[in-house]
Amino acid sequence: MNRTFWNLLLVSPAILGLSSVMSTAAIAAEATATAEANQLATAQSSESKIAEIVGEIVAEPVAAAPAAPEKLALNSSVEAAQTPVVNEADAEKLASIEPETSEAAPQTTLQTTLQTTGSDIELAAPSAPTSAAAATEPLAAAGTAESSPQASDLAVQISPTDTAGKIEVPAVASTPATTPATKVEIAQTAPAGMGGPIVPVAPQALPAQPSGTMSQVTSVTQLSDVRPTDWAFQALQSLVERYSCIVGYPDGTYRGNRALTRYEFAAGVNACLDQITQLIGSTGNLVTKDDLAILQRLQEEFAAELATLRGRVDGLEARTAELEANQFSTTTKLAGEAIFAVSDTFVGDGIRLEDDRTVTNLGYRVRLNLLTSFTGRDLLRTRLQAVNVANYGASTATGTNMARLAFDGQEGSQFTLDELYYRFPVGPATVFVGPKGLDLDEIADPVTPFNSTGTGAISRFGVRNPAVFRGPQGAGASLTFNLGPLRATGGYLASDGDAPDPANGRGVADGSFSALGQIGFFSKPFDLAFTYTHKYNRAGDVGIMGGTGSALANRPFGQATTQADNYGVQVNFKPSRRFQLGGWYGYTKAEQLRGGGNDATIQNGAITLALADFGRQGNLLGFVFGVPPKVTESDVARNRNTSYHLEGFYRFQVNDFVSVTPGVYVILNPEHNNRNDDIWVGLLRTTFSF
């Protein structure tokens, strides 16, 4: 590219950004009457020269909306004020611009539902009761971003007042007093971070000007009140050192914060036009008509792209306005989930499977979550649910809780309030408070990749450790402290059914409840948590294992009032994002509080394997192998044999909103009785997220 074009690009800011030279208005009006007359004469000759030389070539690039004859708006953006100089690097960027293109179910006895040839429960002699105790997740705080400060335009002064708008002041003129006074309307903008709005200085409030002639400066350093930290420093430097059209006051000041009159504006523009005229008419190779023609051609070449961008911006503004006018809420978002589930169960030895008393069925579950935030760091969660999925623990199905699905339930296809709680930070801690549906696995981390009934494990047992994360729950509060990689959690949850009941023996304190404490270590390759949960189940509301394991493990003393101390250790090893190997172990010591004082020991455990992005990004291949809750020792009765749970599923992520999960799991020796036939459960789950 020849030198002429480079020089053209260097001069172009003065041609296309004439509004930025308004700051020179503080010069001419203060000159002597003789200098003023000379400048007016020069202005007339300059206008003639510009019209003759530039003509139609520069008419379009510098066109601007005409100003009203009696009013002048002096606002400009900070970006324009801060980048008046075009250097060689900027010129290369301009030349290389390309157009943008885009584009809990009823419990039943085993004797009535399973084919057995003998009892699976042994009666045990009484033994001395024992007990033990052990002990205790914050959320990341949302960050905030600060906007960069803006600066106002020319010849204005910072004022502490908060008034912003349009202010009319008498125009300052150097004409005789008989000339009628006009009004200047200044639309002012208060720059962010500059200490307040900007108010023009009334002419009568200006300090008296020192006598003498204002002289041309050749360097911005000659202006004593202009510093490199000033937002318009680069603009002044360009006008002084490149175009020599800035004149300082006799005392060596520029006075960039004083007001600007119409006469000063005209004189300042005229001074710079004189300089541009000299550059265009000079015999050197700075700026020629050919260079101006090249500049105009470049603008014309990008006219279509600029028009396209302008159209897009207008379209986005219209859509944004429509969304704001019709939005559901400024604080609430809707997150929904719908599940279609086809399932059936079979019995047999694994080679010859026979259909049992169940048939293939199609169920569903729909959840609507309203997520509300008032501060950006808190969360009010309200969930509505409608569910109708087969419960295979019922007497009409397999009759054992070991075969239950992760998301079963039958609520008559009616939407009900399923969950309601509020989460908020308090310093380094996170608090949960809720009157409905607040679960143990929400207040404490279960440390498993399968803890989702919609996209995780397909069986109820395979979702999480039932010893410490299932039991009476629903209404209560918790507190989680974040201690770096350590988290300490403590919480108390009362049963959903008892918490709102004022009857004697119910309520938050007297009804069934769970008290949890957890200490966890969470890091990138390894998660480990120790959890203790104390459970109290009032008479008639006993279910220690939350509907998993054998019937005896859930009610080791029938429906008598029972309390249990539950200990759990959960681990998940994550050497890479695609491979996770983990598991859990649960130990429970249950005690009968009324009617005998008997004790029972219940144990369960599992190993999990998760292969993320298996075959495709977003997919998940999962396996669970474990022993469902089993009574190993008891003063009343214990499970004689051992059941094994084997589960495999593959979640195929169709897109960001739809996943399809085929899976199967088998229960060997159901109800911990090797005389029972194995139970196979097949499932095809489709989950829609929106």
Side-chain angles (χ1 to χ4, degrees), residues 327-400:
Q327 61 183 337
F328 167 70
S329 172
T330 58
T331 59
T332 303
K333 295 181 180 180
L334 172 65
E337 180 187 77
I339 296 177
F340 296 173
V342 179
S343 63
D344 199 357
T345 65
F346 304 88
V347 297
D349 57 7
I351 299 176
R352 296 184 59 186
L353 297 180
E354 298 178 359
D355 195 3
D356 58 5
R357 286 181 293 176
T358 67
V359 296
T360 302
N361 58 90
L362 174 62
Y364 64 87
R365 188 187 72 182
V366 178
R367 286 178 170 178
L368 302 178
N369 299 293
L370 300 176
L371 309 177
T372 304
S373 179
F374 306 101
T375 67
R377 301 179 60 196
D378 61 340
L379 175 66
L380 174 64
R381 183 183 179 98
T382 306
R383 184 168 72 194
L384 304 177
Q385 174 177 280
V387 57
N388 196 353
V389 178
N391 183 351
Y392 289 130
S395 59
T396 56
T398 66
T400 175

Side-chain angles (χ1 to χ4, degrees), residues 109 255 272 296 303 408 478 537 560 583 587 634 684:
T109 59
R255 303 177 189 176
C272 280
Q296 184 179 20
D408 62 5
S478 73
N537 295 86
Y587 179 88
S634 176
L684 179 63

Side-chain angles (χ1 to χ4, degrees), residues 32-370:
T32 62
T34 303
E36 198 172 280
N38 291 338
Q39 289 176 345
L40 292 175
T42 306
Q44 296 175 357
S45 61
S46 299
E47 292 175 359
S48 302
K49 279 188 176 183
I50 295 301
E52 179 179 351
I53 297 175
V54 180
E56 296 180 355
I57 296 179
V58 298
E60 182 176 346
V62 300
E70 295 299 329
K71 295 185 179 181
L72 177 63
L74 299 182
N75 283 339
S76 64
S77 65
V78 66
E79 292 78 7
Q82 289 178 338
T83 59
V85 180
V86 177
N87 52 32
E88 293 184 0
D90 295 330
E92 289 184 356
K93 294 180 181 180
L94 176 61
S96 60
I97 292 177
E98 296 181 0
E100 176 185 356
T101 57
S102 63
E103 81 161 81
Q107 306 294 328
T108 60
T109 59
L110 178 65
Q111 290 80 0
T112 61
T113 58
L114 296 177
Q115 299 176 357
T116 62
T117 57
S119 173
D120 67 313
I121 300 174
E122 291 184 350
L123 299 178
S127 61
T130 61
S131 64
T136 315
E137 155 186 36
L139 302 175
T144 59
E146 296 183 358
S147 59
S148 59
Q150 299 177 351
S152 179
D153 205 355
L154 307 169
V156 289
Q157 178 177 342
I158 303 299
S159 171
T161 181
D162 293 334
T163 306
K166 295 184 176 180
I167 301 177
E168 292 187 352
V169 297
V172 177
S174 57
T175 55
T178 55
T179 303
T182 59
K183 290 185 179 180
V184 178
E185 182 172 326
I186 301 176
Q188 55 186 9
T189 302
M194 292 190 64
I198 298 169
V199 179
V201 178
Q204 59 272 19
L206 295 176
Q209 306 299 336
S211 60
T213 304
M214 293 180 290
S215 58
Q216 173 67 47
V217 295
T218 59
S219 174
V220 73
T221 58
Q222 295 178 245
L223 302 172
S224 61
D225 60 345
V226 176
R227 294 176 295 275
T229 55
D230 292 337
W231 64 269
F233 177 81
Q234 291 183 349
L236 292 173
Q237 187 179 42
S238 175
L239 292 172
V240 171
E241 299 177 4
R242 287 178 175 268
Y243 307 111
S244 301
C245 61
I246 288 293
V247 178
Y249 285 95
D251 60 355
T253 61
Y254 179 66
R255 303 177 189 176
N257 285 333
R258 60 149 295 181
L260 176 71
T261 67
R262 294 168 62 89
Y263 291 105
E264 293 171 335
F265 171 78
V269 173
N270 177 74
C272 280
L273 285 177
D274 284 342
Q275 289 297 109
I276 297 171
T277 301
Q278 294 176 11
L279 292 174
I280 295 176
S282 65
T283 57
N285 57 356
L286 294 177
V287 180
T288 66
K289 288 186 177 181
D290 292 338
D291 295 330
L292 293 176
I294 293 173
L295 180 61
Q296 184 179 20
R297 186 167 65 251
L298 289 173
Q299 291 181 331
E300 291 174 351
E301 288 178 359
F302 290 101
E305 287 73 15
L306 293 174
T308 301
L309 290 176
R310 183 164 52 250
R312 290 180 180 178
V313 171
D314 292 342
L316 288 175
E317 289 179 349
R319 293 175 60 185
T320 302
E322 183 178 358
L323 289 174
E324 291 177 350
N326 298 281
Q327 61 183 337
F328 167 70
S329 172
T330 58
T331 59
T332 303
K333 295 181 180 180
L334 172 65
E337 180 187 77
I339 296 177
F340 296 173
V342 179
S343 63
D344 199 357
T345 65
F346 304 88
V347 297
D349 57 7
I351 299 176
R352 296 184 59 186
L353 297 180
E354 298 178 359
D355 195 3
D356 58 5
R357 286 181 293 176
T358 67
V359 296
T360 302
N361 58 90
L362 174 62
Y364 64 87
R365 188 187 72 182
V366 178
R367 286 178 170 178
L368 302 178
N369 299 293
L370 300 176

